[in-house]
Amino acid sequence: GAGVSQTPSNKVTEKGKYVELRCDPISGHTALYWYRQSLGQGPEFLIYFQGTGAADDSGLPNDRFFAVRPEGSVSTLKIQRTERGDSAVYLCASSPITTGELFFGEGSRLTVL
Amino acid sequence: GENVEQHPSTLSVQEGDSAVIKCTYSDSASNYFPWYKQELGKRPQLIIDIRSNVGEKKDQRIAVTLNKTAKHFSLHITETQPEDSAVYFCAASTAGGRRALTFGSGTRLQVQP
């Protein structure tokens, strides 16, 4: 498809487990962002990639969160030792950078029991 | 870092009336201000944006105004329709949008038919 694709759409896990969330951006978009959205809140910035490198990871809440984009396209957000407070919708967005417009995926809903 | 405040949190209007949503930002270096619309269970989508070199921008029934001195910007929707019902988020960024967006907490707009 032509849009940003995120998998899985839903993930239920137990406290302490490891999860990976995948994002496939729009072809040709060099910028890729991860946001987290809790119920009733605006998206909260986590990390931004320009190409393969993390240009800004200041939004990652702690060292349990890590993200990679090894080939400058698909990105994976990795969460270690999940906690109940990590439950949220994780949104990925890509951008052609020249306009600044973010194209969001449908999100991955993470529930930590 | 940037802080964006948005109000009201909820807004109910009659079909055909106008709706106004207001945001303030803290970082005087911010120069890109987009507005995103998020329908229930859907991804956020850009509806209009404004850059700091202009004070107002219109697109059909939607307009955005920016007051850089006061550090606030507003979304105006005229002749509201039921399909305008959604959550609206304002956001701010530096570097013309080539940096991460900081989002407001959202306004739930309900247009009563």
Side-chain angles (χ1 to χ4, degrees), chain B residues 54-105:
Chain B
V54 297
E56 183 176 4
K57 184 177 179 181
K58 289 183 179 180
D59 183 3
Q60 300 182 351
R61 296 185 297 109
I62 294 173
V64 58
T65 59
L66 171 65
N67 183 327
K68 284 201 67 181
T69 302
K71 290 191 282 189
H72 69 70
F73 57 113
S74 301
L75 177 71
H76 305 251
I77 306 174
T78 59
E79 301 172 27
T80 53
Q81 301 168 4
E83 53 264 39
D84 293 331
S85 296
V87 179
Y88 291 81
F89 294 99
C90 62
S93 173
T94 59
R98 293 184 295 277
R99 292 288 186 273
L101 290 174
T102 299
F103 284 86
S105 56

Side-chain angles (χ1 to χ4, degrees), chain A residues 64-77:
Chain A
R64 295 187 297 106
F65 289 74
F66 189 70
V68 296
R69 194 186 186 197
E71 298 178 355
S73 178
V74 171
S75 176
T76 304
L77 178 66

Side-chain angles (χ1 to χ4, degrees), chain B residues 10-31:
Chain B
T10 60
L11 180 59
S12 182
V13 299
Q14 290 297 123
E15 183 177 358
D17 287 350
S18 295
V20 180
I21 302 170
K22 299 183 179 182
C23 289
T24 60
Y25 62 98
S26 61
D27 188 348
S28 58
S30 288
N31 55 12

Side-chain angles (χ1 to χ4, degrees), chain A residues 4-81:
Chain A
V4 176
S5 176
Q6 290 188 247
T7 55
S9 56
N10 278 285
K11 176 71 176 178
V12 180
T13 191
E14 293 179 344
K15 180 176 179 294
K17 298 292 188 182
Y18 168 82
V19 299
E20 288 190 351
L21 307 175
R22 175 189 166 103
C23 174
D24 198 343
I26 293 173
S27 177
H29 282 191
T30 56
L32 185 147
Y33 301 79
W34 284 99
Y35 284 83
R36 178 168 69 175
Q37 187 173 28
S38 299
L39 192 64
Q41 298 297 315
E44 173 193 7
F45 169 70
L46 296 176
I47 186 169
Y48 152 53
F49 288 90
Q50 177 59 32
T52 60
D56 183 355
D57 64 358
S58 62
L60 294 177
N62 51 59
D63 61 5
R64 295 187 297 106
F65 289 74
F66 189 70
V68 296
R69 194 186 186 197
E71 298 178 355
S73 178
V74 171
S75 176
T76 304
L77 178 66
K78 307 180 181 190
I79 310 174
Q80 298 177 322
R81 304 183 304 281

Side-chain angles (χ1 to χ4, degrees), chain B residues 3-54:
Chain B
N3 182 48
V4 177
E5 296 193 356
Q6 182 172 351
H7 60 93
S9 56
T10 60
L11 180 59
S12 182
V13 299
Q14 290 297 123
E15 183 177 358
D17 287 350
S18 295
V20 180
I21 302 170
K22 299 183 179 182
C23 289
T24 60
Y25 62 98
S26 61
D27 188 348
S28 58
S30 288
N31 55 12
Y32 175 66
F33 307 93
W35 287 85
Y36 283 78
K37 176 183 180 182
Q38 187 174 30
E39 297 178 7
L40 190 62
K42 303 284 188 179
R43 69 190 79 190
Q45 292 188 300
L46 180 72
I47 55 171
I48 194 168
D49 57 13
I50 190 167
R51 299 179 189 271
S52 60
N53 56 343
V54 297

